[in-house]
Amino acid sequence: MDDIAKALPRKGPASPEIADWIRDQIRTSRFVPGQRLVEVDIIRKTGGSRFKVREALQRLAAEGLVEIEENRGASVREASMSEIRQLYRSRAALESICAGDFARDASPAEKAELQAIAEKMESCLEDGAPERFGSLNAQWHAMIMRVTGNTVIESIVRRLNTPVHHLLFETFYRGNRMQDAVNDHRLILSAIMEGDVEGAERAMRQHVENGLQFLASLDKALHRE
Amino acid sequence: MDDIAKALPRKGPASPEIADWIRDQIRTSRFVPGQRLVEVDIIRKTGGSRFKVREALQRLAAEGLVEIEENRGASVREASMSEIRQLYRSRAALESICAGDFARDASPAEKAELQAIAEKMESCLEDGAPERFGSLNAQWHAMIMRVTGNTVIESIVRRLNTPVHHLLFETFYRGNRMQDAVNDHRLILSAIMEGDVEGAERAMRQHVENGLQFLASLDKALHRE
DNA sequence: ATCGACATAATTGTCAACAATATCGTTATC
DNA sequence: GATAACGATATTGTTGACAATTATGTCGAT
């Protein structure tokens, strides 16, 4: 008679969760580029064991989000502008493929859902909710890739984004980036609705390149301030 | 007087070297997809400690080359045909960008060097040396990306290739894949020599897509045999 | 006050032992 | 003979301690 109900062992977080936690700290700029990630600190704050923390750091290093130096430990890696430029070129190429696929292969219902997300984003413009906007934006881009079965490309793009995630987050707080993005999305959507494959590709490519432009100008502003 | 010359501590291999070793085993089909990677075996064959082996496996898991299941350990991951197709589409997009860059920005000396590698590959045709051909092929593709500073793209492409590396290796032993590749390379090179950016992009895209076609037919042949 | 040598503390690297889990073979039961 | 319960073995998960290395603070000489 096992009414004990397994007496849940209450283990600490597993290494993927710790990795997620660190990623999130970086994304929200609580860990900034160059900062050293001391193992004991992370243990204290997550409750994970040292072994798991090291596993998590190892994974993040493989992702390129942190850097591990011999006997000096892990630190948040700083992405250079040249690197960011390459990341965006890659994103432009990969996401435009998926946008074309979506225009060709997505069902009317799926296209409608994509539009629904876009409309939610537009409603963020008025009450200015950058973090909600950012989350919806991620959803929007992910849907285009996932619906057409491009899960591998989706995971590549997610990885490409991580090193600039905290900057992306930042851009939505600045200038009229949100408005610009909404306009771009409208263009992409209309091409998708018409089933215009090449148009969708072109519009998506332009959208990503616009994002790079904004990031570049933001970078300049931050460094000269 | 320390003529002891440091009495070299003779440590075992570090985790990156162990990871390289495992990658190589997979590439040469000594470890095949689905096979379980038992930690003790790897320890025995590499001389590394268990800790380092686990570190290496963790890295390879982050790369997507192996899969780690809770309490069941690591095994070589099998790439589905759908996944391979996406990998090749991505490669086609990314490498064609670099080919265009190369046609535009590479110096005459660099272009000549690229041609020199291509000629070495052609000499492999006669004495049929697939493994040498494969190594030169990797060099050739890497040079196009590296010379124009697209190091990030280069690393992405390298990662994309790892899960199909053992198949690539295989293709050079089969049919007239080597001859086909040489022909493709000729087309790419002539566009590059003329500084024809779009032509180089197109030719590279075609080359990668040809590679996918060959792989797909190989896959069919292997599964039906 | 500045600099360097030294001692001390903080941090990471490594290992070996132990615990938890899964795998496989054996036996008992129907 | 098939199946289920059981036990033995193999394999992975986790922990803690200790070694090696790097960072920090202290003191004395100039």
Side-chain angles (χ1 to χ4, degrees):
Chain A
M1 44 172 75
D2 47 359
D3 49 358
I4 312 173
K6 210 56 184 296
L8 62 142
R10 198 59 243 130
K11 298 186 298 185
S15 56
E17 296 162 31
I18 298 177
D20 285 342
W21 182 83
I22 297 174
R23 256 190 292 264
D24 220 58
Q25 297 297 109
I26 295 175
R27 190 174 60 78
T28 57
S29 294
R30 296 157 69 91
F31 288 166
V32 298
Q35 179 173 345
R36 287 187 53 185
L37 302 175
V38 178
E39 296 174 357
V40 187
D41 292 344
I42 300 173
I43 292 171
R44 264 198 286 268
K45 284 171 187 164
T46 63
S49 70
R50 182 143 173 251
F51 186 84
K52 292 176 185 169
V53 169
R54 285 181 69 101
E55 263 187 353
L57 288 173
Q58 200 68 228
R59 274 196 104 100
L60 293 172
E63 281 179 28
L65 195 57
V66 311
E67 201 171 13
I68 295 183
E69 274 174 300
E70 188 84 359
N71 290 322
R72 298 221 30 221
S75 53
V76 181
R77 209 169 68 86
E78 169 98 85
S80 70
M81 201 54 221
S82 143
E83 182 176 343
I84 291 177
R85 199 166 288 121
Q86 286 180 67
L87 297 182
Y88 268 77
R89 282 182 92 186
S90 305
R91 261 194 64 197
L94 298 176
E95 289 206 51
S96 64
I97 290 176
C98 298
D101 285 1
F102 197 95
R104 189 194 313 107
D105 301 328
S107 73
E110 288 163 341
K111 291 181 179 177
E113 193 181 342
L114 191 69
Q115 187 160 33
I117 300 178
E119 280 162 10
K120 279 189 201 164
M121 291 175 78
E122 299 198 14
S123 76
C124 287
L125 284 179
E126 293 142 23
D127 45 19
E131 60 288 333
R132 181 165 151 72
F133 187 89
S135 152
L136 284 167
N137 185 52
Q139 253 183 272
W140 196 82
H141 281 269
M143 184 179 179
I144 290 177
M145 297 184 268
R146 194 172 309 160
V147 162
T148 48
N150 288 312
T151 54
V152 175
I153 295 183
E154 187 195 352
S155 78
I156 298 172
V157 170
R158 194 185 10 249
R159 272 253 260 280
L160 288 175
N161 263 332
T162 25
V164 292
H165 229 143
H166 63 287
L167 290 173
L168 261 184
F169 205 71
E170 195 70 15
T171 59
F172 293 132
Y173 282 98
R174 307 224 172 196
N176 45 2
R177 176 70 191 127
M178 279 166 42
Q179 178 67 61
D180 287 353
V182 162
N183 292 341
D184 285 355
H185 287 185
R186 281 215 187 101
L187 287 176
I188 299 170
L189 257 175
S190 77
I192 284 177
M193 288 305 179
E194 294 170 15
D196 176 5
V197 175
E198 286 185 18
E201 287 179 357
R202 236 193 335 268
M204 178 61 91
R205 175 181 304 275
Q206 189 60 52
H207 173 46
V208 175
E209 280 167 8
N210 290 343
L212 173 59
Q213 288 307 316
F214 199 92
L215 220 55
S217 66
L218 174 67
D219 186 71
K220 253 184 196 162
L222 286 178
H223 281 59
R224 297 187 180 169
E225 45 187 324
Chain B
M1 45 174 72
D2 46 0
D3 49 359
I4 311 171
K6 210 55 183 300
L8 63 142
R10 198 57 245 131
K11 297 185 298 182
S15 56
E17 297 162 30
I18 298 177
D20 285 342
W21 183 83
I22 297 174
R23 258 190 292 264
D24 220 57
Q25 298 296 107
I26 296 175
R27 190 175 60 78
T28 57
S29 294
R30 298 157 69 90
F31 288 166
V32 299
Q35 179 173 345
R36 287 186 55 183
L37 302 176
V38 178
E39 296 174 356
V40 187
D41 291 345
I42 300 172
I43 292 171
R44 264 198 286 268
K45 284 172 185 162
T46 63
S49 69
R50 181 137 175 256
F51 184 86
K52 291 176 184 171
V53 169
R54 286 181 68 101
E55 255 186 0
L57 288 173
Q58 199 70 24
R59 266 201 111 95
L60 293 172
E63 282 178 25
L65 194 58
V66 311
E67 201 171 13
I68 296 183
E69 274 173 302
E70 189 82 0
N71 289 324
R72 300 219 31 220
S75 53
V76 181
R77 210 169 67 85
E78 169 98 84
S80 70
M81 202 55 221
S82 143
E83 181 176 345
I84 291 177
R85 199 166 288 120
Q86 287 181 66
L87 298 181
Y88 268 77
R89 281 181 93 185
S90 304
R91 262 194 63 198
L94 297 176
E95 289 207 51
S96 64
I97 290 176
C98 297
D101 285 2
F102 197 96
R104 190 194 311 107
D105 300 329
S107 72
E110 288 163 341
K111 291 181 178 177
E113 193 179 341
L114 191 70
Q115 187 159 33
I117 300 177
E119 279 162 10
K120 279 190 202 164
M121 291 174 79
E122 299 199 13
S123 77
C124 286
L125 284 181
E126 293 140 25
D127 46 19
E131 60 289 332
R132 182 166 150 72
F133 187 89
S135 150
L136 285 167
N137 185 52
Q139 253 184 273
W140 196 82
H141 281 269
M143 185 179 180
I144 289 177
M145 298 184 268
R146 194 173 309 160
V147 160
T148 48
N150 289 313
T151 53
V152 175
I153 295 183
E154 188 195 353
S155 77
I156 298 172
V157 170
R158 192 185 10 250
R159 272 252 262 279
L160 289 175
N161 264 332
T162 25
V164 292
H165 229 143
H166 64 286
L167 290 174
L168 262 182
F169 205 71
E170 195 71 14
T171 59
F172 293 133
Y173 281 97
R174 306 224 172 198
N176 45 2
R177 176 69 192 129
M178 279 166 46
Q179 179 66 60
D180 287 352
V182 161
N183 292 341
D184 285 354
H185 288 184
R186 280 214 186 100
L187 286 175
I188 299 170
L189 257 175
S190 78
I192 283 177
M193 287 304 180
E194 293 171 14
D196 176 4
V197 175
E198 286 185 18
E201 287 179 357
R202 234 191 338 266
M204 178 61 91
R205 175 180 305 274
Q206 189 60 52
H207 172 46
V208 175
E209 280 168 7
N210 289 344
L212 172 60
Q213 288 307 317
F214 199 92
L215 220 53
S217 66
L218 174 65
D219 185 71
K220 251 184 199 163
L222 286 179
H223 281 60
R224 297 188 180 169
E225 45 188 322

Short mmCIF file of all heavy atoms in Angstrom, two decimals, chain A residues 105-149:
data_model
loop_
_atom_site.label_atom_id
_atom_site.label_comp_id
_atom_site.label_asym_id
_atom_site.label_seq_id
_atom_site.Cartn_x
_atom_site.Cartn_y
_atom_site.Cartn_z
N ASP A 105 2.84 27.74 -47.97
CA ASP A 105 2.30 26.51 -47.39
C ASP A 105 1.34 26.65 -46.22
O ASP A 105 0.64 25.69 -45.89
CB ASP A 105 3.47 25.61 -46.95
CG ASP A 105 4.37 25.26 -48.12
OD1 ASP A 105 3.86 25.16 -49.24
OD2 ASP A 105 5.59 25.09 -47.90
N ALA A 106 1.32 27.80 -45.57
CA ALA A 106 0.49 27.90 -44.37
C ALA A 106 -0.99 27.89 -44.74
O ALA A 106 -1.38 28.37 -45.80
CB ALA A 106 0.83 29.18 -43.61
N SER A 107 -1.80 27.33 -43.86
CA SER A 107 -3.25 27.30 -44.08
C SER A 107 -3.85 28.66 -43.76
O SER A 107 -3.23 29.46 -43.04
CB SER A 107 -3.87 26.25 -43.17
OG SER A 107 -3.88 26.71 -41.84
N PRO A 108 -5.04 28.94 -44.31
CA PRO A 108 -5.71 30.20 -44.00
C PRO A 108 -5.83 30.43 -42.49
O PRO A 108 -5.64 31.56 -42.02
CB PRO A 108 -7.08 30.04 -44.65
CG PRO A 108 -6.84 29.11 -45.79
CD PRO A 108 -5.78 28.15 -45.30
N ALA A 109 -6.15 29.38 -41.75
CA ALA A 109 -6.30 29.52 -40.30
C ALA A 109 -4.98 29.96 -39.67
O ALA A 109 -4.95 30.83 -38.79
CB ALA A 109 -6.74 28.19 -39.69
N GLU A 110 -3.89 29.38 -40.14
CA GLU A 110 -2.58 29.74 -39.58
C GLU A 110 -2.23 31.17 -39.93
O GLU A 110 -1.68 31.91 -39.10
CB GLU A 110 -1.52 28.77 -40.11
CG GLU A 110 -1.65 27.37 -39.50
CD GLU A 110 -0.89 26.30 -40.29
OE1 GLU A 110 -0.57 26.54 -41.48
OE2 GLU A 110 -0.65 25.24 -39.72
N LYS A 111 -2.55 31.56 -41.15
CA LYS A 111 -2.27 32.95 -41.52
C LYS A 111 -3.08 33.91 -40.66
O LYS A 111 -2.59 34.96 -40.25
CB LYS A 111 -2.59 33.15 -43.00
CG LYS A 111 -1.61 32.42 -43.92
CD LYS A 111 -1.92 32.65 -45.41
CE LYS A 111 -0.90 31.92 -46.28
NZ LYS A 111 -1.19 32.06 -47.73
N ALA A 112 -4.33 33.51 -40.38
CA ALA A 112 -5.18 34.35 -39.54
C ALA A 112 -4.59 34.49 -38.14
O ALA A 112 -4.58 35.58 -37.54
CB ALA A 112 -6.58 33.77 -39.46
N GLU A 113 -4.05 33.39 -37.65
CA GLU A 113 -3.46 33.43 -36.30
C GLU A 113 -2.26 34.36 -36.26
O GLU A 113 -2.06 35.11 -35.30
CB GLU A 113 -3.07 32.01 -35.88
CG GLU A 113 -2.74 31.91 -34.40
CD GLU A 113 -2.33 30.49 -34.01
OE1 GLU A 113 -2.63 29.54 -34.78
OE2 GLU A 113 -1.70 30.34 -32.96
N LEU A 114 -1.46 34.29 -37.33
CA LEU A 114 -0.31 35.19 -37.40
C LEU A 114 -0.76 36.64 -37.37
O LEU A 114 -0.16 37.49 -36.68
CB LEU A 114 0.47 34.91 -38.69
CG LEU A 114 1.84 35.58 -38.77
CD1 LEU A 114 2.80 34.95 -37.78
CD2 LEU A 114 2.43 35.50 -40.18
N GLN A 115 -1.84 36.90 -38.08
CA GLN A 115 -2.37 38.26 -38.10
C GLN A 115 -2.88 38.68 -36.71
O GLN A 115 -2.69 39.82 -36.29
CB GLN A 115 -3.52 38.35 -39.11
CG GLN A 115 -4.02 39.77 -39.32
CD GLN A 115 -4.78 39.91 -40.63
OE1 GLN A 115 -5.45 38.98 -41.07
NE2 GLN A 115 -4.65 41.07 -41.25
N ALA A 116 -3.49 37.72 -36.02
CA ALA A 116 -4.00 38.02 -34.68
C ALA A 116 -2.88 38.47 -33.76
O ALA A 116 -3.02 39.45 -33.00
CB ALA A 116 -4.70 36.79 -34.11
N ILE A 117 -1.75 37.77 -33.83
CA ILE A 117 -0.60 38.17 -33.00
C ILE A 117 -0.15 39.57 -33.37
O ILE A 117 0.14 40.40 -32.50
CB ILE A 117 0.56 37.17 -33.16
CG1 ILE A 117 0.11 35.76 -32.74
CG2 ILE A 117 1.75 37.61 -32.32
CD1 ILE A 117 1.19 34.70 -32.91
N ALA A 118 -0.10 39.82 -34.67
CA ALA A 118 0.32 41.14 -35.13
C ALA A 118 -0.59 42.24 -34.58
O ALA A 118 -0.12 43.32 -34.19
CB ALA A 118 0.34 41.18 -36.66
N GLU A 119 -1.88 41.93 -34.52
CA GLU A 119 -2.82 42.93 -34.02
C GLU A 119 -2.61 43.18 -32.53
O GLU A 119 -2.71 44.32 -32.05
CB GLU A 119 -4.26 42.50 -34.30
CG GLU A 119 -4.67 42.81 -35.75
CD GLU A 119 -5.89 42.02 -36.20
OE1 GLU A 119 -6.54 41.39 -35.34
OE2 GLU A 119 -6.18 42.02 -37.41
N LYS A 120 -2.32 42.11 -31.81
CA LYS A 120 -2.01 42.29 -30.38
C LYS A 120 -0.81 43.22 -30.21
O LYS A 120 -0.76 44.05 -29.30
CB LYS A 120 -1.69 40.94 -29.73
CG LYS A 120 -2.93 40.12 -29.35
CD LYS A 120 -2.50 38.91 -28.52
CE LYS A 120 -3.56 37.83 -28.55
NZ LYS A 120 -3.02 36.52 -28.08
N MET A 121 0.16 43.04 -31.10
CA MET A 121 1.35 43.89 -31.01
C MET A 121 1.00 45.34 -31.26
O MET A 121 1.52 46.25 -30.61
CB MET A 121 2.41 43.42 -32.02
CG MET A 121 3.00 42.06 -31.66
SD MET A 121 4.13 41.44 -32.93
CE MET A 121 5.58 42.41 -32.55
N GLU A 122 0.10 45.56 -32.20
CA GLU A 122 -0.28 46.94 -32.51
C GLU A 122 -0.95 47.60 -31.30
O GLU A 122 -0.78 48.79 -31.05
CB GLU A 122 -1.21 46.97 -33.72
CG GLU A 122 -0.52 46.40 -34.96
CD GLU A 122 -1.22 46.80 -36.25
OE1 GLU A 122 -2.07 47.71 -36.21
OE2 GLU A 122 -0.89 46.20 -37.30
N SER A 123 -1.68 46.79 -30.56
CA SER A 123 -2.36 47.35 -29.39
C SER A 123 -1.35 47.74 -28.31
O SER A 123 -1.64 48.56 -27.44
CB SER A 123 -3.37 46.35 -28.82
OG SER A 123 -2.68 45.34 -28.12
N CYS A 124 -0.16 47.17 -28.39
CA CYS A 124 0.88 47.55 -27.43
C CYS A 124 1.41 48.94 -27.70
O CYS A 124 2.00 49.59 -26.84
CB CYS A 124 2.05 46.57 -27.48
SG CYS A 124 1.71 44.96 -26.75
N LEU A 125 1.24 49.39 -28.93
CA LEU A 125 1.78 50.69 -29.31
C LEU A 125 1.20 51.80 -28.44
O LEU A 125 1.92 52.69 -27.98
CB LEU A 125 1.48 50.99 -30.78
CG LEU A 125 2.34 50.25 -31.80
CD1 LEU A 125 1.91 50.62 -33.20
CD2 LEU A 125 3.81 50.56 -31.57
N GLU A 126 -0.11 51.72 -28.23
CA GLU A 126 -0.78 52.80 -27.50
C GLU A 126 -0.36 52.85 -26.04
O GLU A 126 0.13 53.86 -25.56
CB GLU A 126 -2.30 52.62 -27.61
CG GLU A 126 -2.79 52.82 -29.04
CD GLU A 126 -3.89 51.86 -29.41
OE1 GLU A 126 -4.55 51.35 -28.48
OE2 GLU A 126 -4.08 51.60 -30.61
N ASP A 127 -0.57 51.73 -25.35
CA ASP A 127 -0.21 51.74 -23.93
C ASP A 127 1.27 51.46 -23.71
O ASP A 127 1.70 51.26 -22.59
CB ASP A 127 -1.07 50.72 -23.15
CG ASP A 127 -1.15 49.39 -23.88
OD1 ASP A 127 -0.29 49.15 -24.75
OD2 ASP A 127 -2.07 48.61 -23.60
N GLY A 128 2.05 51.46 -24.79
CA GLY A 128 3.49 51.31 -24.68
C GLY A 128 3.93 50.24 -23.68
O GLY A 128 4.25 50.55 -22.55
N ALA A 129 3.92 48.97 -24.12
CA ALA A 129 4.31 47.89 -23.23
C ALA A 129 5.44 47.11 -23.89
O ALA A 129 5.21 46.08 -24.51
CB ALA A 129 3.13 46.98 -22.95
N PRO A 130 6.66 47.61 -23.77
CA PRO A 130 7.79 47.04 -24.50
C PRO A 130 8.04 45.56 -24.19
O PRO A 130 8.32 44.79 -25.11
CB PRO A 130 8.98 47.89 -24.06
CG PRO A 130 8.37 49.16 -23.60
CD PRO A 130 7.07 48.78 -22.98
N GLU A 131 7.93 45.18 -22.92
CA GLU A 131 8.27 43.78 -22.62
C GLU A 131 7.21 42.84 -23.21
O GLU A 131 7.53 41.78 -23.73
CB GLU A 131 8.49 43.53 -21.13
CG GLU A 131 7.33 43.83 -20.22
CD GLU A 131 7.09 45.33 -20.09
OE1 GLU A 131 8.04 46.11 -20.25
OE2 GLU A 131 5.93 45.70 -19.87
N ARG A 132 5.94 43.25 -23.14
CA ARG A 132 4.90 42.44 -23.77
C ARG A 132 5.09 42.42 -25.29
O ARG A 132 4.95 41.39 -25.94
CB ARG A 132 3.52 43.04 -23.42
CG ARG A 132 2.36 42.27 -23.99
CD ARG A 132 1.04 42.67 -23.34
NE ARG A 132 -0.09 42.51 -24.24
CZ ARG A 132 -0.59 41.33 -24.61
NH1 ARG A 132 -0.03 40.23 -24.15
NH2 ARG A 132 -1.60 41.25 -25.45
N PHE A 133 5.44 43.57 -25.83
CA PHE A 133 5.70 43.66 -27.26
C PHE A 133 6.82 42.70 -27.66
O PHE A 133 6.70 41.97 -28.66
CB PHE A 133 6.08 45.10 -27.63
CG PHE A 133 6.21 45.34 -29.11
CD1 PHE A 133 5.10 45.74 -29.86
CD2 PHE A 133 7.42 45.17 -29.76
CE1 PHE A 133 5.22 45.96 -31.22
CE2 PHE A 133 7.53 45.38 -31.13
CZ PHE A 133 6.43 45.79 -31.86
N GLY A 134 7.88 42.71 -26.87
CA GLY A 134 9.01 41.85 -27.17
C GLY A 134 8.63 40.38 -27.16
O GLY A 134 9.03 39.61 -28.04
N SER A 135 7.84 40.01 -26.19
CA SER A 135 7.41 38.61 -26.10
C SER A 135 6.54 38.22 -27.29
O SER A 135 6.71 37.14 -27.88
CB SER A 135 6.66 38.42 -24.78
OG SER A 135 5.71 37.39 -24.89
N LEU A 136 5.61 39.10 -27.65
CA LEU A 136 4.75 38.82 -28.82
C LEU A 136 5.59 38.76 -30.09
O LEU A 136 5.35 37.94 -30.98
CB LEU A 136 3.69 39.92 -28.94
CG LEU A 136 2.53 39.83 -27.95
CD1 LEU A 136 1.72 41.11 -27.95
CD2 LEU A 136 1.64 38.63 -28.27
N ASN A 137 6.56 39.65 -30.16
CA ASN A 137 7.43 39.69 -31.34
C ASN A 137 8.14 38.34 -31.52
O ASN A 137 8.20 37.80 -32.62
CB ASN A 137 8.46 40.81 -31.18
CG ASN A 137 9.30 40.98 -32.42
OD1 ASN A 137 8.77 41.12 -33.52
ND2 ASN A 137 10.62 40.95 -32.24
N ALA A 138 8.66 37.82 -30.41
CA ALA A 138 9.33 36.52 -30.47
C ALA A 138 8.37 35.44 -30.95
O ALA A 138 8.71 34.61 -31.80
CB ALA A 138 9.90 36.16 -29.09
N GLN A 139 7.14 35.47 -30.39
CA GLN A 139 6.10 34.52 -30.80
C GLN A 139 5.84 34.61 -32.30
O GLN A 139 5.74 33.60 -33.00
CB GLN A 139 4.79 34.89 -30.09
CG GLN A 139 4.38 33.96 -28.97
CD GLN A 139 3.04 34.41 -28.42
OE1 GLN A 139 2.99 35.23 -27.52
NE2 GLN A 139 1.96 33.86 -28.97
N TRP A 140 5.71 35.83 -32.77
CA TRP A 140 5.38 36.07 -34.16
C TRP A 140 6.43 35.45 -35.09
O TRP A 140 6.12 34.68 -36.01
CB TRP A 140 5.29 37.59 -34.40
CG TRP A 140 4.60 37.98 -35.66
CD1 TRP A 140 3.26 38.08 -35.86
CD2 TRP A 140 5.21 38.35 -36.90
NE1 TRP A 140 3.00 38.49 -37.14
CE2 TRP A 140 4.18 38.67 -37.80
CE3 TRP A 140 6.54 38.45 -37.33
CZ2 TRP A 140 4.42 39.07 -39.10
CZ3 TRP A 140 6.77 38.85 -38.63
CH2 TRP A 140 5.72 39.16 -39.51
N HIS A 141 7.69 35.77 -34.80
CA HIS A 141 8.77 35.25 -35.64
C HIS A 141 8.86 33.72 -35.54
O HIS A 141 9.06 33.04 -36.54
CB HIS A 141 10.10 35.89 -35.24
CG HIS A 141 10.29 37.26 -35.79
ND1 HIS A 141 10.90 37.50 -36.99
CD2 HIS A 141 9.94 38.48 -35.30
CE1 HIS A 141 10.92 38.80 -37.24
NE2 HIS A 141 10.35 39.42 -36.22
N ALA A 142 8.67 33.22 -34.31
CA ALA A 142 8.78 31.77 -34.12
C ALA A 142 7.69 31.04 -34.90
O ALA A 142 7.94 29.99 -35.50
CB ALA A 142 8.68 31.42 -32.64
N MET A 143 6.49 31.62 -34.91
CA MET A 143 5.38 30.95 -35.58
C MET A 143 5.65 30.77 -37.07
O MET A 143 5.38 29.72 -37.65
CB MET A 143 4.09 31.74 -35.39
CG MET A 143 2.89 31.01 -35.99
SD MET A 143 1.33 31.85 -35.76
CE MET A 143 0.24 30.69 -36.60
N ILE A 144 6.20 31.79 -37.69
CA ILE A 144 6.50 31.72 -39.11
C ILE A 144 7.43 30.56 -39.42
O ILE A 144 7.27 29.86 -40.42
CB ILE A 144 7.12 33.04 -39.60
CG1 ILE A 144 6.06 34.13 -39.57
CG2 ILE A 144 7.72 32.90 -40.99
CD1 ILE A 144 6.57 35.49 -39.96
N MET A 145 8.38 30.34 -38.51
CA MET A 145 9.33 29.26 -38.76
C MET A 145 8.74 27.90 -38.41
O MET A 145 8.94 26.92 -39.12
CB MET A 145 10.61 29.50 -37.95
CG MET A 145 11.32 30.79 -38.36
SD MET A 145 12.88 31.04 -37.51
CE MET A 145 12.33 32.01 -36.12
N ARG A 146 7.98 27.85 -37.33
CA ARG A 146 7.55 26.55 -36.82
C ARG A 146 6.44 25.94 -37.65
O ARG A 146 6.44 24.73 -37.90
CB ARG A 146 7.11 26.69 -35.36
CG ARG A 146 6.97 25.34 -34.68
CD ARG A 146 6.72 25.50 -33.21
NE ARG A 146 7.70 26.40 -32.61
CZ ARG A 146 7.51 27.03 -31.45
NH1 ARG A 146 6.37 26.87 -30.80
NH2 ARG A 146 8.45 27.81 -30.97
N VAL A 147 5.49 26.78 -38.06
CA VAL A 147 4.32 26.26 -38.76
C VAL A 147 4.71 25.49 -40.03
O VAL A 147 4.09 24.48 -40.36
CB VAL A 147 3.35 27.41 -39.10
CG1 VAL A 147 2.38 27.00 -40.18
CG2 VAL A 147 2.59 27.82 -37.86
N THR A 148 5.75 25.96 -40.70
CA THR A 148 6.12 25.30 -41.94
C THR A 148 7.16 24.20 -41.70
O THR A 148 7.81 23.75 -42.65
CB THR A 148 6.66 26.33 -42.94
OG1 THR A 148 7.63 27.15 -42.27
CG2 THR A 148 5.53 27.20 -43.44
N GLY A 149 7.32 23.81 -40.43
CA GLY A 149 8.18 22.68 -40.14
C GLY A 149 9.66 22.98 -40.16
O GLY A 149 10.49 22.07 -40.13
#
